[in-house]
C-alpha cells in the first residue's frame, strides 16, 4: 500500500510509502490513496488531528516526473487532495525528514503546521525541470513567507536547510526526533491546534517584487522563470484564481520542448548508472584513498576533484618543478574558493592536509584507486601501468585518463587487466561534471561498479563507454567539427558558425571551442586520421591555420585574434584564408543560413551517436545525451543530440541526411543503419533507453 494510516492518541498518522522517493504518483495510486485516507480521517470522529510523514529516507521527492508524459489533466487530483488537506476542519501537521521537494513541499504547504528534521532539505526545484510548482507552491509560498524570498527559492530551485526554512518562516519548528515522534510531541505540547490554512492569507506587496524580478530575468531557453513570476503576481488575488492560472501554465510548460528536454536529462542521468549485469554502485566498495599519477593540468584538476569530496589523495610527479606547479595550482584554486566565499578557510586547510605530493610512484602502494593522468602517449602509459602492476596493492583499481588510446592495450601490460578501467575526465577536471568510464574487454564488473560509485562519490556524472577511438564524446565531436569545417568551405565564416550554434544554445561555438582547447590537439588527431582513414578527409582549413602557428587562445590567435587572451576578435587574415581556400577548391561560396549551420552540425552528431549506440559503445541513446549535456556544453533544455533526433522525427532526420548526402561529401553523410531501421519502422531512439 502506498499510504498507511495508524491512529495514535486520536491522531491519524498518515505515511507516504512509495519507494524510492515517495513521489506523489498518480499511476502508482499514491495520490488516490492519500485522498481517500485523508477523507476517512477527516470523517472519523475518533480522530482530532492528522499527521503526514514519509517512509524510508525522505518525506517526499515531489510529484512523479513520469506522470507528466501522460494525461496532464489527471494532475488535478494532486491539487484536489492538497486543497482538501488545506480545507480540513481538523489540524494537519507535516513532519519532514530527508527532503521535501517540489510537490512534496507543496503537500507540506497545504498542511497547517510544518516541522522539519534538522538534517532535512526543502525546496521547489521545478524550474530545473522546466516547470513551475504546479500544486499550489506559487500561490501558498508567497502568501506564507516574504515574497522576494519565495521568488528567489522558486527561480533558483535551490534546497534550503531546516534551520534556514525556520528563519524564513516556512516551517514552525526544527526537530531532532524521528518524524512521527516529533509530530506527536508537537501536538502534545502545542495542542489543541487550530487549522491554519495559508490559502486564506493575502500576499501583500508581490506585484512590486515580481516586476523588479521580471526586469532582471535573462532571456533563455527555459520559459519557466517568466511563468513562475506570472503566477506569483496572481498570488495578490483570490487563491482559486491563482491556482487555476498555475495549473494552466504548468500544463503549458510540461508540454514545452525545454521541460521535456530537462526531464529527459534528469531521468537519463540516473539511467546512466544502470549497467546490465552489474552489481549496484551502492554495494560496490567505497574508495577510501586515491592517487593520481602525473601533476600536469589534468592531474592537478583530478586531485582537486578528489579533495573536494573530502578524500585523501597522493599526486605523483617525478619532475620536481612540475610537482611544485601542481601543488601551487591546487593551493591557488582552494585559496580562490575561500576568497569567493565558497569554502571556509578551515575546510581548505583540511583539504590541503589530505594532499600528499610525491616524486616516487611507490607512494601509491596503499591507494584503493590510482588514476594515471600522464601525457597521451602509449609508451608513457605502458610504463606507468607496468610500474603500477608491481606496486599497487592487490585489488586496487588501476584507472587511465586516456581520451583516445586503446585501454585494452594499456591493461595488457599488467597481470591484472580485470582491475583496469578508464576514467576519462574533462578539463578542468575539478569543474567539469562529466567522466566517461571506459569498460575494457577484461574490466571486472565489480571494478566497473566501483568506478561508477567513485564518480558519484566525487559528485560527478559517470557514463560508461566501451573501448573505441574517441569513446562516445570525442567521436561525435569529430563529426560535428567536420561539418563546421565544411561549412567554412561552403560559405560561412567562423563568427557566423559560432554565433549560430551559441544562439541555438551551445555554451560555446565549435571553432571558439577549438581555439580554447588548443588547435594543436585536433591537428595531431587529424594527422593520425589522414593515415588511418584516408577516405574520410577533413577540410584543410584548420590545418592551414595550425601551419601558421595559430593554436588558439594559448598562442593569442586561432580562428580569431585574442588581444586580451580570452575575447575572440574577428581576424580578416583568417577570413581571407577561408575565402581563398574555397576558391582554390573551385567552390562557389554561397550564403549559408544559420538554420543550415545548426542542422548540419546537429544531424552529424545524431548520425554518429546512432552509430555509437548500435555498436554498443554506448549502452543507450540517453547515455550519449548525458555526455553531451555534461561535457560538451549542449543545452540541457534541448535534451541532447539523441533527444533532438526524436524531436525532429527520425524520418525527417533521415530525409535531411540524405539531402545533404546528395550534395557535397556524401561519404560523411552515410546514414547510420540504426537510424534507417528506426525511421523505417516508425520508432524512436528514446524507445531504446528502457
Ligand atoms: C513536481 O513536483 C511538480 C509539482 O509541482 C506539480 C504537480 C502537479 N518522480 O536521485 P536519485 C527517482 S516536479 C519520479 O538517484 P537520491 C529517480 O529517477 C518534481 N521519480 O536518489 C531514481 O529512479 P531509479 C519536483 C523520481 O537519493 C530514484 O528516484 N521534484 C523522482 O540521490 C532515486 O533518485 C524534483 O525535482 C520524482 N519526482 O535523490 C526532485 N525523484 O532508481 C527530483 C526521484 O529508477 N529528485 N525519482 O533510477 C531529486 O532531486 C532526487 O531524486 C532526490 C533523491 C533528492 C529526491
Amino acid at each position: 500500500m502506498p499510504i498507511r494510516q495508524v491512529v495514535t492518541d486520536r491522531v491519524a498518522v498518515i505515511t507516504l510509502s512509495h519507494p524510492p522517493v515517495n513521489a506523489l504518483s498518480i499511476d502508482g495510486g499514491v495520490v488516490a490513496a492519500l485522498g481517500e485516507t485523508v477523507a476517512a480521517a477527516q470523517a472519523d470522529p475518533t480522530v482530532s488531528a492528522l499527521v503526514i510523514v514519509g517512509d524510508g529516507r525522505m518525506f517526499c521527492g515531489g510529484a512523479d516526473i513520469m506522470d507528466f508524459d501522460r494525461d496532464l489533466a489527471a494532475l488535478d487530483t494532486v491539487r484536489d487532495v492538497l486543497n482538501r488537506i488545506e480545507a480540513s476542519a481538523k489540524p494537519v501537521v507535516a513532519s519532514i525528514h530527508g527532503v521535501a521537494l517540489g510537490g512534496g513541499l507543496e503537500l507540506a504547504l497545504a498542511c497547517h503546521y510544518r516541522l522539519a528534521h534538522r538534517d532535512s532539505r526543502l525546496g521547489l526545484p521545478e524550474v530545473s525541470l522546466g516547470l513551475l510548482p504546479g500544486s499550489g507552491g506559487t500561490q501558498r509560498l508567497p502568501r506564507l513567507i516574504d515574497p522576494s524570498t519565495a521568488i528567489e527559492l522558486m527561480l533558483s530551485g535551490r534546497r534550503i536547510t531546516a534551520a534556514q526554512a525556520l528563519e524564513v518562516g516556512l516551517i514552525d519548528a526544527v526537530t531532532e526526533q524521528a518524524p512521527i515522534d516529533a509530530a506527536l510531541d508537537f501536538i502534545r505540547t502545542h495542542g489543541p491546534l487550530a487549522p491554519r490554512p495559508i490559502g486564506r492569507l493575502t500576499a501583500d506587496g508581490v506585484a512590486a517584487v515580481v516586476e523588479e524580478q521580471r526586469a532582471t530575468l535573462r532571456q533563455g531557453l527555459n520559459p519557466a522563470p517568466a511563468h513562475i513570476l506570472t503566477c506569483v503576481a496572481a498570488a495578490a488575488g483570490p487563491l482559486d484564481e491563482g491556482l487555476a492560472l498555475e495549473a494552466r501554465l504548468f500544463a503549458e510548460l510540461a508540454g514545452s520542448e525545454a521541460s521535456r528536454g530537462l526531464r529527459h536529462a534528469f531521468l537519463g542521468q540516473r539511467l546512466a548508472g544502470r549497467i546490465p549485469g552489474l552489481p549496484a554502485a551502492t554495494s560496490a566498495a567505497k574508495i577510501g584513498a586515491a592517487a593520481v599519477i602525473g601533476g600536469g593540468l589534468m592531474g592537478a584538476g583530478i586531485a582537486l576533484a578528489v579533495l573536494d569530496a573530502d578524500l585523501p589523495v597522493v599526486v605523483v610527479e617525478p619532475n620536481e618543478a612540475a610537482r611544485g606547479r601542481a601543488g601551487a595550482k591546487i593551493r591557488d584554486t582552494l585559496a580562490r574558493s575561500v576568497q569567493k566565499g565558497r569554502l571556509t578557510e578551515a575546510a581548505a586547510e583540511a583539504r590541503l592536509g589530505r594532499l600528499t605530493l610525491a616524486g616516487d610512484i611507490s607512494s601509491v602502494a596503499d591507494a584503493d584507486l590510482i588514476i594515471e593522468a600522464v601525457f597521451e602517449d602509449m609508451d608513457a602509459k605502458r610504463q606507468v601501468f607496468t610500474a603500477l602492476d608491481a606496486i599497487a596493492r592487490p585489488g586496487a583499481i588501476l584507472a587511465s585518463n586516456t581520451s583516445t588510446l586503446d585501454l585494452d592495450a594499456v591493461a595488457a601490460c599488467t597481470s591484472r587487466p580485470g582491475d583496469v578501467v578508464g576514467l576519462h575526465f574533462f578539463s578542468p577536471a575539478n569543474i567539469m561534471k562529466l567522466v566517461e568510464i571506459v569498460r575494457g574487454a577484461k574490466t571486472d564488473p565489480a571494478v566497473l561498479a566501483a568506478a561508477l560509485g567513485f564518480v558519484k562519490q566525487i559528485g560527478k556524472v559517470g557514463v560508461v563507454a566501451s573501448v573505441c577511438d574517441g569513446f562516445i564524446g570525442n567521436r561525435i565531436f569529430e563529426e560535428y567539427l567536420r561539418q563546421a569545417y565544411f561549412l567554412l568551405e561552403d560559405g560561412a565564416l567562423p563568427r557566423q558558425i559560432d554565433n549560430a550554434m551559441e544562439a541555438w544554445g551551445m555554451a560555446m561555438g565549435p571553432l571558439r571551442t577549438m581555439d580554447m582547447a588548443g588547435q594543436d590537439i585536433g591537428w595531431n588527431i587529424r594527422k593520425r586520421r589522414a593515415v588511418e582513414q584516408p577516405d574520410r578527409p577533413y577540410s584543410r582549413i584548420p590545418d592551414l591555420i595550425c601551419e601558421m602557428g595559430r593554436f588558439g587562445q594559448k598562442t593569442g590567435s586561432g580562428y580569431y585574434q585574442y588581444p586580451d587572451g580570452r575575447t575572440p576578435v574577428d581576424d580578416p587574415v583568417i577570413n581571407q584564408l577561408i575565402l581563398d581556400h574555397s576558391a582554390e577548391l573551385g567552390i562557389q561560396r554561397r550564403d549559408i543560413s544559420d538554420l543550415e549551420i545548426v542542422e548540419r552540425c546537429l544531424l552529424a552528431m545524431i548520425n554518429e551517436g546512432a552509430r555509437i549506440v548500435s555498436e554498443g559503445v554506448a549502452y543507450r541513446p540517453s547515455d550519449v545525451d548525458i555526455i553531451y549535456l555534461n561535457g560538451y556544453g549542449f543545452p540541457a533544455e534541448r535534451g541532447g543530440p539523441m533527444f533532438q533526433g526524436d524531436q525532429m522525427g527520425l524520418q525527417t532526420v533521415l530525409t535531411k541526411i540524405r539531402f545533404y548526402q546528395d550534395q557535397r561529401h556524401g561519404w560523411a553523410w552515410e546514414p547510420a543503419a540504426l537510424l534507417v531501421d528506426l525511421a523505417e519502422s516508425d520508432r524512436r531512439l528514446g524507445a531504446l533507453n528502457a
Side-chain angles (χ1 to χ4, degrees):
M1 280 293 285
I3 300 290
R4 288 196 315 269
Q5 187 200 251
V6 176
V7 179
T8 314
D9 293 342
R10 297 179 57 83
V11 176
V13 177
I14 299 171
T15 303
L16 307 177
S17 181
H18 187 59
V21 300
N22 297 329
L24 297 175
S25 163
I26 291 174
D27 254 24
V30 181
V31 179
L34 178 63
E36 283 160 21
T37 312
V38 166
Q42 284 168 334
D44 185 342
T46 69
V47 168
S48 60
L50 285 70
V51 164
I52 301 183
V53 295
D55 220 2
R57 290 189 296 132
M58 65 190 75
F59 178 72
C60 175
D64 190 331
I65 294 170
M66 304 296 193
D67 285 338
F68 308 154
D69 291 327
R70 301 186 186 121
D71 176 16
L72 288 175
L75 292 175
D76 280 343
T77 55
V78 180
R79 300 176 182 119
D80 291 345
V81 171
L82 267 52
N83 290 342
R84 171 187 274 274
I85 290 172
E86 178 165 69
S88 169
K90 296 175 185 177
V92 189
V93 179
S95 188
I96 294 165
H97 77 294
V99 298
L101 295 176
L105 184 56
E106 291 173 294
L107 166 61
L109 284 167
C111 297
H112 304 143
Y113 298 86
R114 282 159 296 280
L115 317 176
H117 188 268
R118 60 154 191 230
D119 296 332
S120 59
R121 296 285 184 274
L122 294 79
L124 292 172
E126 285 88 343
V127 70
S128 53
L129 296 171
L131 298 169
L132 52 77
S135 44
T138 67
Q139 301 306 301
R140 293 193 176 100
L141 193 62
R143 283 176 161 84
L144 179 66
I145 68 171
D146 168 47
S148 57
T149 309
I151 290 174
E152 190 277 322
L153 288 175
M154 286 187 262
L155 292 187
S156 68
R158 75 187 170 96
R159 300 174 193 179
I160 55 173
T161 63
Q164 290 165 327
L166 183 66
E167 203 182 313
V168 300
L170 175 49
I171 58 169
D172 298 286
V174 176
T175 68
E176 304 211 343
Q177 292 161 283
I180 297 179
D181 295 343
L184 294 177
D185 242 24
F186 183 81
I187 292 171
R188 237 175 266 130
T189 45
H190 293 78
L193 301 175
R196 213 181 47 168
I198 295 170
R200 284 208 208 116
L201 304 175
T202 48
D204 292 330
V206 288
V209 183
V210 165
E211 283 327 302
E212 201 178 296
Q213 288 289 332
R214 208 184 281 283
T216 63
L217 221 53
R218 271 191 288 136
Q219 199 69 31
L221 295 174
N222 186 353
H227 279 22
I228 288 174
L229 290 179
T230 303
C231 289
V232 174
L239 179 71
D240 54 347
E241 285 176 22
L243 290 177
L245 175 73
E246 184 194 78
R248 187 165 60 72
L249 293 188
F250 181 89
E252 197 181 293
L253 290 175
S256 69
E257 181 189 345
S259 177
R260 278 185 286 128
L262 289 163
R263 272 142 51 198
H264 169 75
F266 176 86
L267 295 170
Q269 191 164 318
R270 277 142 189 90
L271 207 53
R274 289 215 204 141
I275 301 301
L278 216 63
T282 42
S283 68
K286 277 227 168 209
I287 301 302
V292 178
I293 313 284
L297 266 188
M298 186 51 97
I302 297 173
L304 269 163
V306 175
L307 291 171
D308 286 347
D310 293 335
L311 285 172
V313 67
V314 179
V315 176
V316 177
E317 172 53 64
N319 179 301
E320 201 178 329
R323 193 161 66 242
R325 282 196 296 277
K329 157 103 184 130
I330 293 170
R331 272 191 300 278
D332 290 352
T333 309
L334 291 173
R336 262 204 312 282
S337 297
V338 173
Q339 265 168 20
K340 289 185 180 159
R342 289 201 203 115
L343 198 65
T344 65
E345 200 125 358
E349 277 308 311
R351 284 178 198 186
L352 279 176
R354 284 190 278 270
L355 169 71
T356 308
L357 291 166
D360 194 293
I361 201 164
S362 62
S363 316
V364 305
D366 296 326
D368 303 318
L369 165 71
I370 304 162
I371 306 168
E372 161 279 309
V374 303
F375 186 64
E376 190 73 348
D377 170 78
M378 186 52 100
D379 285 341
K381 307 263 178 200
R382 280 208 177 103
Q383 233 175 342
V384 170
F385 276 81
T386 308
L388 287 180
D389 195 23
I391 291 162
R393 70 162 180 74
I397 298 173
L398 311 182
S400 170
N401 181 52
T402 182
S403 53
T404 51
L405 300 175
D406 180 354
L407 183 78
D408 293 330
V410 175
C413 56
T414 71
S415 61
R416 35 176 143 171
D419 293 341
V420 177
V421 69
L423 286 180
H424 178 210
F425 286 81
F426 287 67
S427 191
N430 50 319
I431 307 229
M432 295 294 286
K433 280 266 172 225
L434 177 67
V435 181
E436 274 181 317
I437 302 174
V438 185
R439 177 179 204 168
K442 295 195 174 156
T443 304
D444 192 289
V447 169
L448 187 63
L452 272 161
F454 166 73
V455 170
K456 196 165 181 192
Q457 204 179 338
I458 61 170
K460 305 241 179 246
V461 176
V463 179
V464 176
S466 53
V467 176
C468 77
D469 196 340
F471 309 127
I472 299 172
N474 285 343
R475 222 178 107 173
I476 292 174
F477 201 68
E478 272 197 61
E479 296 311 314
Y480 171 31
L481 282 176
R482 196 191 300 279
Q483 284 310 314
Y485 301 150
F486 286 151
L487 280 160
L488 292 175
E489 289 181 353
D490 290 343
L493 289 173
R495 178 71 68 176
Q496 191 198 355
I497 294 179
D498 285 335
N499 282 357
M501 294 314 290
E502 287 167 21
W504 188 77
M506 296 298 285
M508 194 181 275
L511 307 172
R512 278 184 63 202
T513 301
M514 291 315 285
D515 268 358
M516 195 187 67
Q519 294 236 33
D520 45 334
I521 301 172
W523 197 19
N524 282 334
I525 295 174
R526 288 192 300 275
K527 284 178 190 161
R528 190 148 58 83
R529 292 282 182 266
V531 178
E532 293 165 352
Q533 305 175 337
D535 53 334
R536 295 177 63 77
Y538 286 88
S539 161
R540 282 268 301 141
I541 290 173
D543 295 352
L544 295 173
I545 295 176
C546 286
E547 282 163 18
M548 295 163 78
R550 298 172 62 129
F551 294 161
Q553 284 186 16
K554 63 182 172 191
T555 57
S557 65
Y559 288 98
Y560 303 92
Q561 292 278 2
Y562 294 90
D564 67 359
R566 285 180 70 90
T567 319
V569 173
D570 288 359
D571 188 341
V573 172
I574 292 302
N575 291 353
Q576 190 58 50
L577 176 148
I578 292 167
L579 301 186
D580 293 347
H581 186 68
S582 300
E584 214 172 285
L585 293 177
I587 294 172
Q588 180 72 39
R589 287 177 70 81
R590 59 185 170 88
D591 279 347
I592 306 263
S593 68
D594 289 357
L595 185 71
E596 179 176 341
I597 293 174
V598 171
E599 197 167 274
R600 276 170 63 176
C601 290
L602 198 56
L603 289 170
M605 290 192 229
I606 296 169
N607 202 24
E608 189 63 12
R611 229 173 251 131
I612 283 174
V613 170
S614 61
E615 286 171 21
V617 171
Y619 279 94
R620 51 183 82 83
S622 62
D623 285 2
V624 172
D625 289 337
I626 297 309
I627 285 190
Y628 264 72
L629 300 180
N630 290 284
Y632 290 84
F634 203 98
E637 291 87 348
R638 298 220 190 253
M642 303 287 96
F643 179 81
Q644 280 296 314
D646 280 343
Q647 283 291 109
M648 237 184 258
L650 296 185
Q651 281 153 359
T652 308
V653 167
L654 198 58
T655 306
K656 285 178 189 281
I657 286 180
R658 287 189 170 137
F659 167 80
Y660 288 118
Q661 195 179 17
D662 287 342
Q663 304 199 348
R664 237 162 48 89
H665 300 307
W667 51 266
W669 285 112
E670 190 55 47
L674 177 66
L675 278 186
V676 177
D677 187 29
L678 291 176
E680 284 176 355
S681 54
D682 201 14
R683 284 180 299 156
R684 297 159 55 84
L685 283 158
L688 307 179
N689 289 332

